Amino acid sequence: MCRQGQGCIRERKRAQVLEHTGPGAQKYQMANSSSISEFLLLALADTRQLQLLHFWLLLGIYLAALLGNGLISTAVACDHRLHTPMYFFLLNLALLDLGCISTTLPKAMANALWHTRHISYAGCAAQVFFLLFFFGAEYSLLTIMSYDRYVAICKPLHYGTLLSSRASDTRVKKAQKVDKGSTT
């Protein structure tokens, strides 16, 4: 048997472990799983006055971006003299900028206004996906725009054939396809 002391305690613990690892052990064990359903965001400010200041500041930035990009889109779409490759690229860049700013800023404004700090896992994943998509498409479009300016400056006689409106459409579609491949 067991004498009083350290050996006796070890034997009792071993007996308890064997008791809980037998055939009926499932009723003693708890499930060991966890899942993330939402994230907590860092607050921009702790005081309510600063949160409202951040809301109004973000609202002003958002409205300025909407107004500026909306004016660019309207001007390029309505004026037939602006139907050239450079302005076609500017129109697409304005639309992509609207997508970029509309991805995260409304949630940040809502958090500042309603004094909340959480975002769901699906919402966070959607924001990251769309932000990467829009940034990738913007960078691709900026690369195409730089090529457009290079051809206009260095090869002005070939500009009409290299960057016709049909070729510009094709390049924009290819940039969007390349970007879709990089985000998935």
Side-chain angles (χ1 to χ4, degrees):
M1 285 286 189
C2 172
R3 293 186 203 166
Q4 294 294 62
Q6 197 70 3
C8 187
I9 295 172
R10 265 191 243 140
E11 284 183 29
R12 280 191 215 144
K13 285 186 180 179
R14 181 185 287 162
Q16 288 174 351
V17 168
L18 290 174
E19 207 175 87
H20 294 296
T21 57
Q26 290 178 350
K27 63 182 176 182
Y28 295 111
Q29 294 178 354
M30 295 182 67
N32 188 14
S33 65
S34 61
S35 63
I36 297 172
S37 61
E38 63 183 26
F39 294 111
L40 287 178
L41 303 172
L42 291 175
L44 292 175
D46 293 333
T47 62
R48 186 70 184 143
Q49 290 82 13
L50 283 177
Q51 287 176 345
L52 290 175
L53 176 67
H54 285 145
F55 168 76
W56 289 110
L57 182 66
L58 292 174
L59 182 65
I61 292 169
Y62 189 61
L63 290 177
L66 286 177
L67 180 67
N69 289 316
L71 286 174
I72 290 171
S73 301
T74 304
V76 172
C78 292
D79 193 355
H80 294 289
R81 294 175 292 171
L82 301 179
H83 290 182
T84 61
M86 182 180 74
Y87 291 106
F88 175 73
F89 293 138
L90 282 176
L91 171 68
N92 283 296
L93 191 63
L95 295 175
L96 287 172
D97 191 36
L98 282 174
C100 276
I101 202 157
S102 296
T103 300
T104 56
L105 217 53
K107 179 65 177 168
M109 289 188 310
N111 287 347
L113 183 63
W114 294 324
H115 195 60
T116 58
R117 292 181 44 203
H118 65 279
I119 184 170
S120 69
Y121 181 76
C124 181
Q127 277 190 357
V128 168
F129 173 78
F130 284 118
L131 201 61
L132 289 176
F133 172 75
F134 286 124
F135 277 150
E138 264 193 46
Y139 289 139
S140 300
L141 191 61
L142 287 171
T143 303
I144 293 169
M145 289 175 74
S146 67
Y147 177 71
D148 171 63
R149 293 295 87 204
Y150 164 75
V151 171
I153 293 169
C154 296
K155 299 179 181 183
L157 298 177
H158 298 288
Y159 184 76
T161 57
L162 289 176
L163 288 169
S164 64
S165 59
R166 184 176 170 197
S168 298
D169 288 341
T170 305
R171 284 187 177 88
V172 167
K173 288 177 185 174
K174 283 183 182 178
Q176 290 173 352
K177 283 182 184 178
V178 166
D179 183 57
K180 284 180 185 176
S182 68
T183 57
T184 55

